[in-house]
Amino acid sequence: MTSSPLFQIEHLNAGYGESIVLSDVSLDVQQGEIVSLLGPNGAGKTTTMMAITGLLSAYGGTIRLDGHPITDKPAHKRVDLGVALSPEGRQVFPELNVEENLLLGSFASKARASRPRNLTRIYDLFPRLAERKKQLAGLMSGGEQQMLAIGRALMSEPRLLLLDEPSLGLSPLITELVYDTIPVIAAEGISILLVEQNTEAALAVSNRAYVLSHGRIVAAGKAEDLRDSAVLRDAFFGGA
Ligand code: ATP
């Protein structure tokens, strides 16, 4: 790497109580880059996302944004600094409508003042949300809820957007629709860290990828080089 990365994790250890899930995880994401974190069930992908957002404390290691450590900052501070998560399972508020859900994405952040501009931007990106502004989120399809979760994360004007399994439970067609927006977001200069079990969809839009197995990075490289690699197969089907 020549330029210093927008986002960097160095030697991260994290887990739950006595149980260490992540061991010595290091990765980086350049500005405007799309990077995947791939791995099977239980590899530690969501745990990595939780540690990045500050919802889970690190046991060791450093997380940096723009070169500055954010490892000890509380979750809300990290949002203000530019880290936003679209969580696994979307977690939209079913009894609120689309626009209310979107507005919650900037509720406590410094992006509150630019809400009207950001709403317009998100409705441009996801016309389906614009058509359904007043619809209850709980009545939306899985794909629409996924768009809503991504839109809600974008409302805080992130520099690093964390997408946790955006294809979960979606048909291939709807997955494609959601995935089509990822390069558009990155083209605005937003860095994207994409967690997926759907390696094919993720690698198709990613510049680079890391493979996580049993809480350790077992491979890293350009997306096109990892696509047919044995190490990726081993991580999913045993061996790595
Ligand atoms: P998936 O694709 O199934 O979401 P993942 O790669 O995201 O998997 P994690 O959810 O990070 O994996 O889980 C990694 C490990 O941490 C698993 O062994 C899991 O059982 C454990 N784990 C996750 N959440 C907790 C928790 N709240 N308390 C204790 N252990 C947990």
Side-chain angles (χ1 to χ4, degrees), residues 16 19 21 39-48 88 164-165 195 197:
Y16 306 91
S19 151
V21 173
N41 260 328
K45 304 181 300 297
T46 296
T47 303
T48 308
E88 182 175 13
D164 197 345
E165 303 233 14
V195 152
Q197 287 197 46

Side-chain angles (χ1 to χ4, degrees), residues 14 33 35 49 59 66 72 83 116 123 131 141 186 203 211 230 234:
E33 195 181 26
V35 173
M49 294 303 215
Y59 293 157
D66 263 345
D72 297 326
V83 178
Y123 288 143
E131 290 159 17
S141 71
L203 288 173
V211 182
D234 283 351

Side-chain angles (χ1 to χ4, degrees), residues 90 92 98 126 128-129 131-132 135-137 139-151 170 174 177-178:
R90 358 265 189 225
V92 298
V98 165
F126 297 113
R128 288 231 193 175
L129 298 184
E131 290 159 17
R132 292 164 172 75
Q135 186 169 321
L136 292 185
L139 301 178
M140 311 269 283
S141 71
E144 289 163 353
Q145 289 191 15
Q146 186 57 61
M147 294 172 196
L148 183 52
I150 297 173
L170 305 186
I174 303 299
L177 206 64
V178 170

